[in-house]
Amino acid sequence: MQVDKDSQVIILPRLNSLDHSTEHKIINLPIPKSSSSSSSSSTVSTKSYLIQDSRLFELNVIKGDNSNVRLKSGDAVKSYIFEPVIEPKGINSTFPADEDNRTQGAVLQSCHTLIASPYNFTYLLITIFEKHGDKFSRFHTLDDIRDRLLSLELGHDWVYDIPRVVFLKSLANICESIIEGGGGNGDGNGEEGNRSLSDAIEDAGDRFFKYSETKSLEWINSKIVALQQWILHLDDDKRTTNSIMSKIKKELHDPTRNEDTSTNQEEEQNQLMDQMAMIYAIDYVCDSYIPDTKSKIILQFKYDFGKVDDYFAQLKQKQKDLEAVEANMNEVITATANTTNASATGTKKNGKKKNPVKKVAVGKGALDGFFKKA
């Protein structure tokens, strides 16, 4: 049993076939930044991605920080234990497993887990093309585009690590294309859009691509709308819990409103939830992958969130009014309590009984004997 302090667990995507000889490669891609947040530093921030066959996956770290006990490094006390497993000699072997094929177990002390989730390379291309639009405003072959990407900035040595098929899929989403010899515009419609991927790869050397901001914004908007619908309808079957929708409902909750189930109010709430889901979708897609396109998306597709803004302004005013009423009620309660206490104290003082004076009978006083003697 080995103990490893540095290794981490990576949850790989499920394979499409029974071929377990698939190779995986980890590369670093630049992290998109907003032009307003760019610094003078020439250092390029990168993030790790996984290439499996012709697919690209984003690697995210899940931290096991749910332990109150900490190591000196600050990590939680949590580890993975892999038990020894006896494997057969071969897949089709008729011989029973023996101790010679036992894999050695291990203990990994790292509490962090890497998980691979599908990533669309189109997002990164949009960020680069938007930043260097003049370099891609004319038709270029795939090889020309890759060469230009490699020469644009430092840290673009990843260009030739990305499979050609990944480039072709992404360029088809955001570029106009023509084939030398009069093939026409391959914008994904008609016969050109129905061609097989293998055919597209074969003629990639004769195909020319030109970046289209219109196609790019339409593609981004399709992802935003799909995410909005996912947020709105994920928990329709009541078998799943949609944390985003729960948060939206909590934000829209008005404690001062009566439980009215009228059609008008229900329709108003649905409109507010639609707009809130769209806001969440735009923020997630744009802020995560393409920060500089948010304003363009809102302007291009005429998204108006005035209804939500007005609702939150009214809700904020109601909350202020409610706080003022509560403050006034507290002042009245305090003043009433003080007045009641003062009245009770005054009643005690004014109603205090005097001690009765004891009367002495005639001839029994202290001086009566003195006068008798005299």
Side-chain angles (χ1 to χ4, degrees), residues 66-89:
N66 57 344
S67 175
N68 294 326
V69 183
R70 299 285 171 175
L71 301 173
K72 292 182 179 180
S73 62
D75 291 338
V77 179
K78 188 175 182 181
S79 59
Y80 283 97
I81 301 177
F82 294 92
E83 297 181 355
V85 178
I86 299 177
E87 297 180 347
K89 290 183 178 180

Side-chain angles (χ1 to χ4, degrees), residues 122-123 126 173-174 213-229 277-279 281-282 285-286 290 293-303 305:
T122 309
Y123 288 118
I126 292 175
N173 292 329
I174 59 177
E213 186 179 53
T214 300
K215 285 194 66 174
S216 175
L217 294 178
E218 289 176 351
W219 183 84
I220 296 171
N221 187 65
S222 68
K223 300 300 179 183
I224 291 174
V225 172
L227 179 56
Q228 180 210 23
Q229 294 303 310
M278 178 60 72
I279 291 174
I282 291 175
V285 172
C286 295
I290 36 180
T293 61
K294 181 187 289 189
S295 58
K296 293 181 180 179
I297 288 291
I298 295 175
L299 183 63
Q300 175 75 15
F301 297 95
K302 297 180 174 59
Y303 288 124
F305 304 110

Side-chain angles (χ1 to χ4, degrees), residues 344-363:
T345 303
T347 302
K348 283 185 177 182
K349 289 182 178 180
N350 297 331
K352 187 177 181 181
K353 295 182 178 180
K354 296 181 180 180
N355 294 328
V357 180
K358 293 183 179 180
K359 296 182 179 181
V360 180
V362 178

Side-chain angles (χ1 to χ4, degrees), residues 98-226:
D98 55 32
E99 295 293 330
D100 295 336
N101 294 325
R102 178 186 292 272
T103 59
Q104 190 175 16
V107 176
L108 303 186
Q109 291 187 358
S110 175
C111 63
H112 297 165
T113 303
L114 294 173
I115 184 170
S117 53
Y119 174 74
N120 199 317
F121 182 64
T122 309
Y123 288 118
L124 181 58
L125 283 186
I126 292 175
T127 303
I128 298 174
F129 287 174
E130 284 289 319
K131 185 176 181 181
H132 305 279
D134 57 326
K135 304 291 184 181
F136 305 97
S137 58
R138 297 181 180 180
F139 285 99
H140 301 281
T141 63
L142 174 58
D143 291 333
D144 290 339
I145 291 175
R146 297 173 86 175
D147 290 339
R148 285 174 178 267
L149 289 173
L150 186 62
S151 63
L152 282 177
E153 298 176 357
L154 295 176
H156 279 196
D157 51 348
W158 48 265
V159 169
Y160 285 97
D161 290 327
I162 304 295
R164 291 177 66 88
V165 62
V166 174
F167 261 105
L168 289 173
K169 287 180 179 179
S170 297
L171 291 174
N173 292 329
I174 59 177
C175 291
E176 299 175 3
S177 65
I178 58 174
I179 298 177
E180 188 176 16
N185 181 26
D187 57 359
N189 298 321
E191 295 182 1
E192 192 63 31
N194 294 328
R195 300 176 71 252
S196 67
L197 185 60
S198 59
D199 293 339
I201 295 175
E202 287 181 3
D203 64 28
D206 299 328
R207 184 180 292 274
F208 292 81
F209 300 92
K210 181 176 73 171
Y211 177 63
S212 170
E213 186 179 53
T214 300
K215 285 194 66 174
S216 175
L217 294 178
E218 289 176 351
W219 183 84
I220 296 171
N221 187 65
S222 68
K223 300 300 179 183
I224 291 174
V225 172

Side-chain angles (χ1 to χ4, degrees), residues 247-254 269 272-273 276 308 311-312 315:
K247 185 177 180 182
I248 289 176
K249 291 180 179 179
K250 185 177 180 180
E251 291 177 347
L252 293 176
H253 176 64
D254 184 359
Q269 283 296 110
L272 290 171
M273 286 192 290
M276 286 292 292
V308 170
Y311 179 83
F312 280 122
L315 187 60

Side-chain angles (χ1 to χ4, degrees), residues 29-46 123-124 126-128 130-131 153 286-293:
L29 299 180
I31 299 176
K33 290 184 178 180
S34 174
S35 57
S36 60
S37 62
S38 59
S39 60
S40 58
S41 174
S42 58
T43 304
V44 178
S45 299
T46 60
Y123 288 118
L124 181 58
I126 292 175
T127 303
I128 298 174
E130 284 289 319
K131 185 176 181 181
E153 298 176 357
C286 295
D287 292 345
S288 300
Y289 302 109
I290 36 180
D292 288 332
T293 61

Side-chain angles (χ1 to χ4, degrees), residues 90-95:
I91 297 177
N92 299 321
S93 176
T94 58
F95 297 97

